[in-house]
Amino acid sequence: MSARSLFLQISNSEQDAAWALLEEWVRSKKEESLHLEFKTAQGQSGQPETQDIKNFAKALSGFANTEGGVLAFGIKTKKTDSGADCANELPGVPHCRSFAASLDELRMDRTDPPVVGVQVHVAPQPGSDQAGVVLVYVPESHGGPHRVTNVKNDKDLNDKYYGRSGTITSALPHRHLAAMFAAQPAPALKLMIEQTAPYTVKLDLVNTGRGLARSARVRISFLDRGGSAIPGANPQPARDWLQRPSVGMGGDKYPLVLDAVSLLYPEDTVPLCVVTFAATSGRTGGFDHASGMIKARIDAEAMQPVVVIGSVPPYYNGGAPVIYPRDDS
């Protein structure tokens, strides 16, 4: 069974049904697998202790770098005659909601880069106000490989890349890491344009690819149909971007150059800027669907630069965003 199926089997069930499934895991001596690992919680007051954080960080790296997986806190294991670890007891986590909330806060800074799409779910124990099992779903990542980081007092664990082989999570050898870095998928950055008012346009950048985008840069010019710069444009860059001096490229002037100060993960959308245009005589708002266009060059590490030309969506469309380059272009 896949990691996602294991997680949904519990998380989509009602409380009594979810706990019955967990009890069945114990009765049937369910074994750990490539996609499933059991741990007891050392933290009994709602806060994960050092060993819990180590187990959590190692699982994040190992599952994300392999095929994804589910880490279940609150299930005790016992070795079978064949040496496999199987579910043996269901002690649960005494203060499961606080424990889960702490893990959810820790997930973004216990690996480098952070694993996107991690979900933490609580399966409460029927008849108890606070006890339950905490499930952590870690998807297979296309933005890695991911190394463990920020685990206190553990030089052996920190800065290592882990992978899952069978039921064992271990440090990845150099040849595996080299292959993973070489096989990293590329990002695909696109410009999202949305007209939010008659004279105002909102620009976002979206990563529609499978790869992580680093050092993204967008150079934008605002032109009329004749290719001349539209007077009166007043772009306000978002806080997450740095504005650079204008750069000439191929004879075109790009008056707004934005450099990313953070990474863009797959499916991330980040704001670029909001542009307000001054109304001019003889032109509707100075920048309308008939006469206005945006020209942009988008580039990032491991991505072939693209130059796109897009019309501003007409305001009478209700400001529905348009993405360039289009999939059909």
Side-chain angles (χ1 to χ4, degrees):
M1 185 178 290
S2 70
R4 187 65 179 168
S5 298
L6 280 167
F7 182 73
L8 292 177
Q9 186 182 36
I10 304 296
S11 61
N12 283 353
S13 299
E14 297 294 332
Q15 178 175 336
D16 289 347
W19 195 259
L21 282 170
L22 294 171
E23 289 179 325
E24 177 57 29
W25 284 6
V26 173
R27 279 195 298 270
S28 64
K29 305 298 181 185
K30 188 175 184 65
E31 294 184 358
E32 292 184 333
S33 67
L34 181 67
H35 304 116
L36 180 63
E37 186 172 14
F38 303 126
K39 293 293 181 185
T40 53
Q42 302 300 308
Q44 298 292 296
S45 62
Q47 293 298 314
E49 292 190 358
T50 300
Q51 188 58 50
D52 299 320
I53 296 173
K54 290 180 180 180
N55 292 335
F56 178 62
K58 193 174 178 180
L60 287 178
S61 174
F63 282 135
N65 287 336
T66 314
E67 295 182 3
V70 175
L71 174 64
F73 281 100
I75 299 178
K76 189 174 182 180
T77 62
K78 182 179 180 180
K79 286 195 178 295
T80 64
D81 293 339
S82 63
D85 287 320
C86 66
N88 185 58
E89 294 180 34
L90 195 58
V93 180
H95 299 272
C96 59
R97 289 184 175 82
S98 298
F99 190 92
S102 296
L103 292 182
D104 199 41
E105 291 179 2
L106 292 170
R107 65 185 174 84
M108 293 305 292
D109 65 355
R110 287 303 179 270
T111 61
D112 178 32
V115 181
V116 177
V118 174
Q119 294 179 260
V120 182
H121 176 77
V122 171
Q125 180 179 347
S128 173
D129 293 334
Q130 300 184 24
V133 168
V134 176
L135 301 174
V136 181
Y137 167 65
V138 184
E140 179 182 359
S141 175
H142 299 294
H146 303 267
R147 61 176 177 150
V148 171
T149 187
N150 293 328
V151 176
K152 293 181 179 179
N153 304 320
D154 199 319
K155 295 180 179 179
D156 293 332
L157 187 65
N158 278 322
D159 299 323
K160 284 189 172 64
Y161 297 83
Y162 287 86
R164 190 88 170 157
S165 178
T167 63
I168 303 299
T169 302
S170 57
L172 291 171
H174 174 77
R175 66 182 183 278
H176 287 180
L177 276 176
M180 292 178 73
F181 277 109
Q184 281 187 343
L189 299 182
K190 296 187 178 184
L191 189 66
M192 183 182 295
I193 306 171
E194 180 180 1
Q195 193 161 353
T196 57
Y199 309 142
T200 302
V201 179
K202 177 174 173 284
L203 279 74
D204 295 331
L205 192 67
V206 56
N207 184 3
T208 63
R210 295 175 56 219
L212 186 68
R214 296 180 174 89
S215 304
R217 171 176 285 199
V218 184
R219 306 174 187 178
I220 311 169
S221 58
F222 308 95
L223 310 173
D224 62 20
R225 289 295 176 182
S228 300
I230 293 180
N234 181 28
Q236 299 295 320
R239 288 180 299 175
D240 290 342
W241 292 76
L242 299 176
Q243 186 172 0
R244 300 293 186 186
S246 61
V247 177
M249 186 193 70
D252 295 319
K253 290 295 182 181
Y254 290 76
L256 182 62
V257 182
L258 300 163
D259 288 296
V261 295
S262 59
L263 302 174
L264 280 80
Y265 290 89
E267 301 182 9
D268 268 1
T269 298
V270 294
L272 285 174
C273 61
V274 174
V275 188
T276 303
F277 300 90
T280 58
S281 60
R283 186 183 295 165
T284 304
F287 197 77
D288 59 14
H289 183 63
S291 64
M293 61 182 179
I294 289 176
K295 187 171 184 179
R297 174 188 166 100
I298 307 170
D299 60 70
E301 289 183 15
M303 175 185 142
Q304 191 73 19
V306 293
V307 175
V308 298
I309 299 177
S311 299
V312 176
Y315 187 64
Y316 54 76
N317 267 3
V322 175
I323 298 178
Y324 297 98
R326 299 188 303 270
D327 291 335
D328 59 357
S329 61

